[in-house]
Amino acid sequence: MIEKNDLTSGSPLKKIITFSLPLVSGNVFQQFYTLIDSFIISHFLGINALAAVGAFYPLSFLILGFIQGCCIGFSIPLAQSIGRKDNVATKQDLLSGTIICCVLICIMTPSMIFSAQPLLTLLHTPERILTITIIFTIISFAGIPANILYNYSASLLRSFGDSTHPFHFLVFSLFLNIGLALTFILLFHLGLNGVALATVISETVAGLLNLYYYIHHTTFPKIKISRQYLNYQSLIHVSTIGFPMGAEYSVSAIGAILMQNAINILGTDAIAAQSAGDKIRQFFTLPMESLGMGIATYMAQNFGAHDKKRISQGLLDGSLIQLSWSIVSLLLVWLLKKPLITLVLGVSHGHVYNLAENYLVTISFFFIIHGLLMIFRNTLQGLGHSMVAILSGFGELIGRLFASILATLSFGYVAICYANQLAWGISLVYCCYMVWKILSTDHQLNK
């Protein structure tokens, strides 16, 4: 075990910040890459290529988000076992998560490759970008094994309190991704396909680096296939936390798909503008999601240690961090909106620019709702209540569905600008109530 990264002792605020900072930094770098990637696509491949990436995003949210949620969820029982200092259960949960990930690869990769075209057609993807979007999606889904490898290996390291090395490997892979994308576009003339291929290769490299570090670091327990560690109860426990967490991501994504369908109906300009605005929005909200990931591990370890006081303090400290960042983000959006939108779209004026600006400015006032949602939802996950957290995804689904209906009926693009805020708000109310109820009634925490 790595005692220096034990999240069950020391100042909760300091532990949360120290553990989450590499996660936040990693997502900031990842968002910088996304902005640079959008810049490369818009400048070298054009608005249609940028719109194709935007049309793919809801499917990415649905499928790759499901995978990320599952991989994080598979590591929650592991973090709880680490918090209890139970070495046998730790090795059992480690093996169980690994086996389930292998099964997931075998099932999801071929099924999603063959589903790409009908799904994009069902979403009313505009005809002029349909072909390039389909090929981009197929290549991205062919990289599902790489996605699972990276997300699960990173989650393993974080469960033991090591968030630093996954960050280092992620940053290296992002620079590799940019270099490969430029090479494939400018030298090999692969167009948007080169961008997808670069992402798959760089993600594979990051996952292999995580795995290499884990295997060759003596303080981590090694995966052993034996009767002692191949435990049916552990398999069930890991599955019942991991899959609902992935499903919660997917339920939220279904709302995003419905919203994307409404955006697609509004036309290519709306797709490109919302895609650009949302890429910039993610630059400010992904750090909030990263802190949420850190909170999940923090809560899992302290739940394993049955420490209600540290759990409650972690909720308060995490919420204060999110409030501070949301204020900073609002100011940064207002100061930097023009250069950021220009960077992504490649234009500093015109109809598409105005649509992107409206989207970004509107959503920036509601960042705090998203930040608090990440704290309370991931607290539910860390406490092992993944099935409960699924319903928060339905809250997001309802919010985005309602906004999509308004967009197609009469409010148009204005409804799209408010869709995420409505989704976050409904989900947050539910999560706050459930966290309060669980902390009040859980017998293990109230002994």
Side-chain angles (χ1 to χ4, degrees):
M1 303 288 176
I2 305 177
E3 295 297 335
K4 66 177 181 178
N5 291 323
D6 184 4
L7 302 178
T8 61
S9 61
S11 166
L13 179 61
K14 183 177 179 181
K15 287 287 186 177
I16 290 170
I17 291 175
T18 302
F19 180 74
S20 299
L21 192 58
L23 299 176
V24 173
S25 301
N27 270 334
V28 168
F29 270 96
Q30 196 163 23
Q31 199 56 29
F32 268 124
Y33 157 74
T34 302
L35 291 175
I36 294 171
D37 190 49
S38 297
F39 174 83
I40 293 171
I41 292 171
S42 62
H43 282 71
F44 293 107
L45 302 176
I47 290 295
N48 282 349
L50 186 64
V53 176
F56 165 70
Y57 174 72
L59 289 183
S60 173
F61 189 7
L62 176 68
I63 305 304
L64 303 184
F66 171 77
I67 289 171
Q68 183 183 26
C70 285
C71 290
I72 295 172
F74 295 154
S75 70
I76 294 296
L78 178 62
Q80 293 176 347
S81 298
I82 293 167
R84 292 194 304 271
K85 307 295 191 292
D86 188 336
N87 291 329
V88 173
T90 295
K91 293 181 179 179
Q92 289 174 343
D93 293 337
L94 183 63
L95 178 58
S96 296
T98 303
I99 291 172
I100 296 169
C101 281
C102 292
V103 174
L104 203 58
I105 288 173
C106 295
I107 294 175
M108 290 200 66
T109 307
S111 61
M112 294 319 304
I113 288 174
F114 288 110
S115 300
Q117 182 171 348
L119 286 173
L120 289 168
T121 303
L122 186 65
L123 284 172
H124 298 100
T125 304
E127 190 66 32
R128 69 179 186 177
I129 63 170
L130 180 60
T131 300
I132 59 173
T133 307
I134 289 173
I135 299 174
F136 180 82
T137 302
I138 289 174
I139 296 173
S140 298
F141 284 159
I144 284 177
N147 193 275
I148 292 177
L149 172 64
Y150 170 73
N151 280 295
Y152 185 59
S153 61
S155 295
L156 286 185
L157 293 174
R158 291 168 189 149
S159 294
F160 288 94
D162 184 359
S163 57
T164 303
H165 285 91
F167 163 65
H168 291 158
F169 301 145
L170 175 63
V171 171
F172 172 78
S173 72
L174 293 178
F175 280 109
L176 176 63
N177 200 335
I178 294 170
L180 288 175
L182 288 171
T183 301
F184 291 151
I185 291 173
L186 300 178
L187 189 61
F188 294 100
H189 307 291
L190 295 179
L192 194 59
N193 300 338
V195 176
L197 188 59
T199 300
V200 173
I201 293 173
S202 61
E203 201 163 40
T204 302
V205 170
L208 289 175
L209 287 172
N210 283 333
L211 190 60
Y212 179 85
Y213 177 77
Y214 185 93
I215 291 173
H216 288 83
H217 203 286
T218 57
T219 57
F220 295 119
K222 301 302 178 276
I223 301 172
K224 296 180 180 179
I225 302 177
S226 68
R227 289 187 177 182
Q228 181 183 7
Y229 302 124
L230 186 57
N231 183 275
Y232 176 75
Q233 285 75 23
S234 174
L235 282 167
I236 295 298
H237 184 46
V238 171
S239 298
T240 53
I241 291 182
F243 284 116
M245 192 164 178
E248 180 246 310
Y249 275 60
S250 292
V251 169
S252 300
I254 292 172
I257 288 175
L258 294 173
M259 190 172 75
Q260 186 64 48
N261 184 58
I263 298 170
N264 289 348
I265 292 173
L266 295 175
T268 303
D269 284 356
I271 297 173
Q274 191 273 341
S275 176
D278 212 51
K279 284 180 184 296
I280 299 169
R281 184 273 300 174
Q282 290 171 36
F283 179 80
F284 297 101
T285 58
L286 277 176
M288 296 176 172
E289 295 168 18
S290 302
L291 181 66
M293 292 168 61
I295 285 290
T297 302
Y298 171 88
M299 294 298 180
Q301 285 199 14
N302 284 284
F303 179 77
H306 309 308
D307 195 333
K308 182 179 179 180
K309 183 178 179 181
R310 287 183 64 82
I311 289 173
S312 299
Q313 189 61 47
L315 269 173
L316 177 60
D317 292 342
S319 298
L320 289 175
I321 295 170
Q322 298 287 47
L323 175 61
S324 301
W325 176 243
S326 66
I327 294 172
V328 172
S329 297
L330 175 61
L331 295 174
L332 289 175
V333 165
W334 278 89
L335 289 172
L336 302 175
K337 58 183 179 180
K338 185 166 185 177
L340 287 175
I341 295 172
T342 303
L343 175 66
V344 175
L345 282 178
V347 294
S348 58
H349 55 83
H351 181 57
V352 178
Y353 174 89
N354 291 334
L355 291 176
E357 183 181 30
N358 290 341
Y359 179 88
L360 182 61
V361 169
T362 301
I363 204 169
S364 64
F365 283 100
F366 299 89
F367 283 160
I368 183 57
I369 299 177
H370 181 72
L372 292 176
L373 175 59
M374 293 301 101
I375 297 298
F376 283 86
R377 174 183 285 168
N378 282 281
T379 294
L380 289 173
Q381 305 289 7
L383 298 179
H385 291 271
S386 292
M387 292 299 296
V388 173
I390 286 181
L391 294 179
S392 72
F394 280 103
E396 291 199 48
L397 170 61
I398 292 169
R400 292 193 176 99
L401 174 61
F402 183 65
S404 299
I405 293 172
L406 291 178
T408 54
L409 290 179
S410 57
F411 287 88
Y413 191 77
V414 173
I416 299 302
C417 292
Y418 285 93
N420 280 323
Q421 299 91 301
L422 181 61
W424 298 337
I426 294 172
S427 186
L428 175 60
V429 171
Y430 168 78
C431 287
C432 287
Y433 170 75
M434 291 308 303
V435 168
W436 171 81
K437 183 178 179 180
I438 289 167
L439 292 182
S440 300
T441 59
D442 193 294
H443 298 299
Q444 288 183 311
L445 294 174
N446 290 283
K447 289 182 179 179

